[in-house]
Amino acid sequence: MVDGVALLRDGIVPVQRVNELLATVPAGALILLTTDFTPAPIIEAMEKAGRKVYHKTAPGVANLHLTYIG
């Protein structure tokens, strides 16, 4: 799991961390990016790179966005 909010708070662009992790996970594995907003730029970048992306809000949790990237 990648905490996008914490990364941004620390001055790290989440898409960089996601790309680093994607290079290390087995084929078919997913990375979960959590944010408190819809991470549209990351979703677009991953889709342009040919990655599969699924985004939803967490049921019953205010402002928790779950973005699965594989």
Side-chain angles (χ1 to χ4, degrees), residues 6-40:
L7 289 174
L8 287 170
R9 184 179 52 239
D10 294 340
I12 301 168
V13 179
V15 73
Q16 293 171 341
R17 182 67 181 134
V18 168
N19 279 325
E20 290 170 2
L21 289 172
L22 284 170
T24 66
V25 298
L30 298 174
I31 292 174
L32 171 59
L33 171 67
T34 60
T35 55
D36 59 0
F37 58 92
T38 301

Side-chain angles (χ1 to χ4, degrees), residues 38-52:
T38 301
I42 294 171
I43 292 170
E44 290 174 19
M46 293 294 110
E47 289 175 338
K48 282 184 182 179
R51 297 289 184 177
K52 293 181 181 179

